[in-house]
Amino acid sequence: MAEARLGVAFQFQVTEEGIIVNFDRKALKFVGRAVMKSAKRKVKGAKKAILKRSFPATPATWILLVAALSAARYSENETTVGVLGKVERGLPWSHSLDPKTVIAVAVLVCATLLWMLIGHTQQFILRQLLSYRAFLYEPRGRLSLKTKVWLGFVKVLGGKNPTLYSYEKSLPYLPVPDLDATTKRYLESVRPILDEERFKKMEKLAEEFKNGLGKRLQRYLVWKSWWSTNYISDWWQQFVYLRSREPLMINSNYYGVGTLYVPTRIQSARAANVIYSMFLYRKQINKEKLQPQFSMGIIPLCSEQFRRTFNTTRIPLKEQDHLHHHGASTHVVIYHRGRFFYLQAFHRGVILKPADLEKQIVRILQDESKPVPGEELLPAMTTAERNLWAETRSTYFSTGVNKQSLDCIEQAAFFLNLEDLEMEYSEEESENLDTLSRYLLHGNGHSCWFDKSVSAYIFKNGRFGITAEHSWADAPIVSHLGEYVTGYDIGVVGYKEDGHCKGEQEFSLPPPSRLQWDIPEKCVATIESCQEKAEKLIKDLDLHVLVFTTFGKGAIKKMKFSPDGFVQMGLQLAYFKDHGNFSLSYESSMTRLFREGRTETVRPCTMDSCTFVRAMLNLTATKSEKRELMMKAVETHVTTFKKAMSGEGIDRHLFGLYVVSKYLEQDSPFLTEALKEPWKLSTSQTATRQLTTTDYDKMPGLKTAGGGFGPVADDGYGVSYIISGEDVIYFHITCKVSSKLTDCKRFSSYIKESLSEMKALFDD
């Protein structure tokens, strides 16, 4: 932009009358401001880099060191042991400088080096402290003396006023679990689901593996952990996500519904406030002012995933996609009635206020132009099998206006759909909530650009929702974004009494421009074919949201259970009622206590959970027996969950060993068998109330129904749940219509029944 302005600012001509130089003062002022802003940004970037490398050492520590060294240099007792004198004599050009200047430079150099050394020492000590995991296994409120002392040291050495990425270098690396321990825990986890013959086979394969090829694979994996910040996260992103050739829609993406409360029914106003709040959130990330997250209020979690929230697109390529993060984008691409619009959200380097954004969005809504051939269904390409999309993109979108428009979409901060549909939901189980959730997951097959890291929906009646691509981050990061945006939109920015944005329009701006396309007929046919396939995927999806209001977190805690453990045992009981057998079950757990940590698998189906489930269906078992077995099953689950959080999980380790075996071209029958078992029940809890700055009790309208994802197995269930309050739990249940073994509403009724039966065990 600055270069374009500069071209207009200066006009240099050579004529018969001489050399004529004209310049535009306003343009020069704009260029000057842009140059200054760029320079300031670089200085701030360098400052952040220095402070981050030395955190938890603070600038105040550096000032004290400068003062102490200055005093020591001028004292009579040579407290610096001659070090400063040597530095002074070793400085270049010291003989040509004033002695006082030489002393000042030497003091600054020594103070800075010493300050950085102190910072690195603190980081090392903090990293060792944060490797302590015993606190996870202790009951809250009854911590041991050792853990209390440890927490005190962490608090003292943890530093003050941390920025978003301050703890990057202080977090421990994810450890590679012990091979014997992993194979033992694996066999324990599959014992309930394998018959005697298959289990003995797996025992034999596991024994051969850990005493043979496994040792070699383990050695390579340990070596990798020495030189990589996380031994598994890069491979997880590469092989699980970017190398997958399946369509992203339903198979990979996930969604989040907005708040129960809708602050305005005016679509343009809601869209303007959401765009404004999104860019402010991005600013908080870019300036690292977003508050880092902590466990127990003290132990830092890794913030690495926040980096790619915006300006990020998954680019389709043959064999493996590429996750492209554009440095800085000042625009949003808006999709409305089959047309793409470029909305510049900044003016003169500053984000437009909501009133100006609303005016621009009204222009889009009032635009009566028609989509060109292929344009309306073009987003269906992002629902296609990845190799087909890669080939089509390379053939038809690599040159000319098609490339320019596609670049505009892929470099946008995020993608926004202004929908003509109205959506509703309330804190009651209804078809409305099912319809909204389905639409956020898959739309109509061409309503979302599934390659974008984040895509937002603003419906005609002002309701808001999000769809996210999965490879760049996990659901807690997106739910954090959703909480911030809705909280800021409703609680800070707000609306006028008539529902429009607050404030008045400041600028006279050109209308948002249409993206231009020239799509050949052959490509249009491909796009239409992708739309047909997308519609088939959509028709094969069954989705139902259970709003469980019989009781919630409050009642579960009164029974002295972990809410998550209680819900998971309810799901195990419901699944057995639904299928008549046990199956491999998946629950995601975060590993963000470690640097660049993402997720680990918790296996809720255990011997203890199966014993409890059988007892619940045994008419001769007493209430007391069922209660004891339930307590043991929940305790086992909670311990397994904590092991996953602390880096002692099974599945990421097995996956890492499998990847090494493929690199070495060594087949392992044990790993092949272990990793091919399908996850018939795939579950995840949606994080909620992550922002400490929002008072949710004073703003109950910020309560949300959470979100969900598609089924992992063709004949299995996907279940995402959010414990939204003291007395309500939302379950987003998905499965495939084509499967004769699954039915969402049937499973929903079993969940409701099972949770109520479990609570009845503790009713006096």
Side-chain angles (χ1 to χ4, degrees):
M1 178 64 78
E3 289 82 355
R5 291 274 184 163
L6 192 61
V8 176
F10 288 96
Q11 290 184 348
F12 181 86
Q13 293 179 314
V14 180
T15 67
E16 295 179 355
E17 298 178 0
I19 297 174
I20 300 174
V21 179
N22 294 318
F23 58 89
D24 184 333
R25 290 182 181 276
K26 288 184 179 180
L28 281 176
K29 189 176 180 181
F30 179 90
V31 172
R33 194 162 56 234
V35 170
M36 288 299 296
K37 185 173 282 189
S38 177
K40 286 180 180 179
R41 192 181 296 118
K42 288 181 179 179
V43 170
K44 286 181 179 178
K47 178 184 173 183
K48 283 179 188 175
I50 293 171
L51 293 177
K52 194 161 56 180
R53 285 195 183 98
S54 301
F55 187 88
T58 62
T61 309
W62 181 81
I63 292 171
L64 286 173
L65 285 171
V66 170
L69 288 176
S70 298
R73 175 65 180 80
Y74 288 103
S75 70
E76 297 178 358
N77 299 318
E78 279 294 327
T79 52
T80 63
V81 199
V83 173
L84 275 174
K86 291 179 181 178
V87 172
E88 291 167 19
R89 290 189 294 275
L91 288 174
W93 311 294
S94 58
H95 60 280
S96 60
L97 296 173
D98 180 73
K100 292 183 179 180
T101 303
V102 173
I103 292 172
V105 172
V107 166
L108 291 174
V109 169
C110 289
T112 301
L113 292 174
L114 186 58
W115 176 70
M116 294 180 72
L117 177 62
I118 291 171
H120 284 286
T121 302
Q122 282 186 270
Q123 286 175 2
F124 176 79
I125 296 172
L126 188 57
R127 193 180 307 122
Q128 304 312 305
L129 286 171
L130 293 176
S131 298
Y132 177 75
R133 291 286 168 263
F135 76 93
L136 286 170
Y137 302 94
E138 295 181 0
R140 287 197 175 188
R142 290 183 293 170
L143 300 178
S144 66
L145 178 61
K146 181 180 179 181
T147 297
K148 288 178 180 178
V149 172
W150 169 76
L151 283 172
F153 276 114
V154 170
K155 191 170 184 179
V156 170
L157 291 171
K160 294 182 179 180
N161 304 318
T163 61
L164 182 59
Y165 305 118
S166 289
Y167 292 105
E168 274 183 330
K169 295 184 178 297
S170 300
L171 290 173
Y173 291 175
L174 182 67
V176 178
D178 178 72
L179 183 61
D180 288 349
T182 293
T183 53
K184 180 182 177 182
R185 285 197 293 268
Y186 168 77
L187 290 172
E188 289 173 353
S189 73
V190 297
R191 187 67 187 89
I193 64 172
L194 299 182
D195 58 36
E196 195 65 31
E197 184 180 347
R198 284 193 66 196
F199 182 72
K200 285 183 178 179
K201 177 185 176 183
M202 287 307 300
E203 271 189 318
K204 182 180 178 183
L205 290 175
E207 190 69 22
E208 292 173 353
F209 175 74
K210 72 178 183 179
N211 293 323
L213 177 61
K215 289 184 178 180
R216 185 184 178 199
L217 302 181
Q218 176 79 352
R219 186 162 57 248
Y220 279 102
L221 204 58
V222 170
W223 288 346
K224 181 179 187 291
S225 73
W226 291 349
W227 53 261
S228 60
T229 50
N230 189 297
Y231 83 90
I232 200 64
S233 287
D234 55 343
W235 282 350
W236 187 253
Q237 178 179 281
Q238 178 184 356
F239 293 105
V240 173
Y241 294 115
L242 300 182
R243 283 207 177 185
S244 172
R245 302 292 85 193
E246 287 188 330
L248 300 185
M249 185 187 74
I250 299 175
N251 296 311
S252 178
N253 72 302
Y254 54 95
Y255 66 90
V257 302
T259 54
L260 286 163
Y261 172 64
V262 180
T264 179
R265 297 288 173 173
I266 301 174
Q267 186 179 25
S268 57
R270 189 75 199 275
N273 266 17
V274 165
I275 291 171
Y276 183 71
S277 300
M278 291 270 244
F279 274 106
L280 288 182
Y281 184 76
R282 188 185 75 165
K283 184 178 180 181
Q284 293 288 305
I285 294 175
N286 290 346
K287 293 199 170 185
E288 301 182 22
K289 290 184 177 180
L290 197 66
Q291 185 179 8
Q293 294 176 291
F294 297 88
S295 174
M296 299 175 66
I298 296 175
I299 303 140
L301 303 181
C302 181
S303 300
E304 181 65 27
Q305 293 180 59
F306 284 96
R307 291 185 190 276
R308 296 180 292 190
T309 306
F310 297 99
N311 325 334
T312 303
T313 303
R314 178 169 167 172
I315 307 296
L317 298 173
K318 284 291 185 73
E319 295 185 4
Q320 179 177 313
D321 292 352
H322 169 64
L323 204 58
H324 176 69
H325 178 71
H326 192 262
S329 300
T330 58
H331 72 277
V332 180
V333 168
I334 295 179
Y335 183 77
H336 178 244
R337 293 180 183 171
R339 296 110 12 112
F340 295 85
F341 291 87
Y342 173 97
L343 174 64
Q344 178 55 252
F346 284 71
H347 184 65
R348 297 176 183 170
V350 179
I351 185 173
L352 293 171
K353 293 294 189 289
D356 283 300
L357 289 169
E358 182 180 4
K359 177 63 177 177
Q360 294 294 79
I361 293 165
V362 167
R363 287 172 161 176
I364 293 174
L365 294 173
Q366 293 176 345
D367 189 303
E368 296 183 356
S369 60
K370 303 296 181 183
V372 301
E375 182 180 12
E376 182 177 4
L377 300 181
L378 179 58
M381 290 304 311
T382 65
T383 73
E385 192 269 340
R386 301 305 288 176
N387 281 345
L388 173 61
W389 176 208
E391 184 180 346
T392 305
R393 183 179 185 275
S394 173
T395 305
Y396 300 108
F397 297 91
S398 58
T399 58
V401 294
N402 288 347
K403 182 182 187 304
Q404 293 173 12
S405 295
L406 185 61
D407 286 347
C408 188
I409 295 173
E410 293 177 344
Q411 294 173 9
F414 55 94
F415 188 83
L416 179 72
N417 184 353
L418 295 174
E419 264 294 346
D420 266 348
L421 298 171
E422 292 191 356
M423 291 288 179
E424 280 296 354
Y425 84 91
S426 60
E427 200 172 47
E428 296 175 356
E429 194 168 342
S430 68
E431 290 295 329
N432 287 340
L433 184 50
D434 291 357
T435 301
L436 171 61
S437 298
R438 287 182 66 97
Y439 206 84
L440 291 174
L441 179 61
H442 54 60
N444 55 18
H446 62 269
S447 56
C448 175
W449 200 267
F450 288 97
D451 290 353
K452 290 297 291 180
S453 56
V454 174
S455 296
Y457 283 90
I458 305 294
F459 293 95
K460 197 171 183 179
N461 58 341
R463 193 162 287 286
F464 164 66
I466 288 178
T467 298
E469 197 275 321
H470 208 329
S471 65
W472 65 277
D474 302 304
I477 306 302
V478 177
S479 65
H480 190 281
L481 160 69
E483 285 187 35
Y484 180 96
V485 169
T486 52
Y488 203 86
D489 165 30
I490 297 171
V492 180
V493 184
Y495 300 86
K496 294 178 182 177
E497 290 185 4
D498 62 2
H500 288 283
C501 294
K502 290 182 177 179
E504 300 299 329
Q505 186 180 349
E506 294 183 26
F507 305 108
S508 178
L509 302 167
S513 57
R514 279 274 307 272
L515 297 189
Q516 301 301 307
W517 305 97
D518 182 15
I519 305 175
E521 288 185 14
K522 192 174 181 180
C523 182
V524 171
T526 302
I527 293 170
E528 290 173 348
S529 172
C530 290
Q531 174 64 25
E532 290 175 5
K533 291 177 182 177
E535 289 174 1
K536 287 181 181 178
L537 288 174
I538 291 169
K539 288 178 181 177
D540 195 29
L541 179 76
D542 186 17
L543 186 152
H544 176 63
V545 182
L546 164 63
V547 184
F548 185 79
T549 55
T550 307
F551 61 89
K553 180 172 63 177
I556 296 172
K557 285 191 171 182
K558 283 182 181 178
M559 291 183 277
K560 297 183 179 179
F561 282 115
S562 152
D564 180 73
F566 186 93
V567 169
Q568 283 292 333
M569 291 308 102
L571 292 173
Q572 287 298 310
L573 179 55
Y575 185 86
F576 190 85
K577 288 178 179 179
D578 188 74
H579 272 61
N581 58 39
F582 298 107
S583 181
L584 197 61
S585 303
Y586 175 102
E587 182 190 7
S588 61
S589 163
M590 68 91 175
T591 55
R592 289 171 60 204
L593 291 168
F594 301 95
R595 190 169 176 184
E596 295 184 18
R598 290 198 59 165
T599 61
E600 177 57 276
T601 302
V602 182
R603 296 185 172 215
C605 184
T606 62
M607 290 298 291
D608 289 330
S609 72
C610 293
T611 303
F612 157 68
V613 167
R614 289 192 181 97
M616 287 295 290
L617 299 175
N618 184 355
L619 299 177
T620 63
T622 66
K623 191 174 183 180
S624 176
E625 289 172 341
K626 293 175 182 178
R627 197 160 45 203
E628 288 181 11
L629 290 171
M630 177 180 164
M631 290 192 301
K632 187 177 181 182
V634 172
E635 183 181 350
T636 299
H637 175 77
V638 170
T639 300
T640 305
F641 194 98
K642 290 176 177 179
K643 283 184 178 294
M645 283 181 63
S646 62
E648 298 179 66
I650 300 169
D651 292 272
R652 299 301 177 269
H653 187 200
L654 293 179
F655 173 75
L657 293 169
Y658 181 77
V659 173
V660 174
S661 74
K662 290 303 176 184
Y663 275 126
L664 298 178
E665 298 182 347
Q666 295 283 320
D667 289 331
S668 165
F670 168 71
L671 292 176
T672 301
E673 287 292 320
L675 295 175
K676 79 176 184 181
E677 192 73 28
W679 301 100
K680 296 289 184 71
L681 179 60
S682 183
T683 71
S684 178
Q685 181 181 176
T686 301
T688 184
R689 300 195 174 203
Q690 298 187 75
L691 298 177
T692 58
T693 54
T694 303
D695 190 338
Y696 294 93
D697 294 325
K698 290 183 179 179
M699 301 178 68
L702 292 181
K703 188 182 291 185
T704 172
F709 53 89
V712 174
D714 288 342
D715 55 352
Y717 290 108
V719 181
S720 176
Y721 55 95
I722 180 170
I723 304 172
S724 191
E726 295 297 307
D727 53 8
V728 61
I729 306 172
Y730 292 89
F731 293 87
H732 294 248
I733 307 163
T734 58
C735 67
K736 292 195 174 182
V737 175
S738 56
S739 171
K740 296 179 180 179
L741 300 176
T742 55
D743 181 279
C744 285
K745 288 192 175 180
R746 185 185 71 211
F747 190 46
S748 168
S749 67
Y750 283 134
I751 294 173
K752 194 172 183 178
E753 178 185 88
S754 298
L755 294 176
S756 297
E757 288 174 354
M758 289 164 61
K759 183 179 182 297
L761 296 176
F762 295 83
D763 291 341
D764 296 327

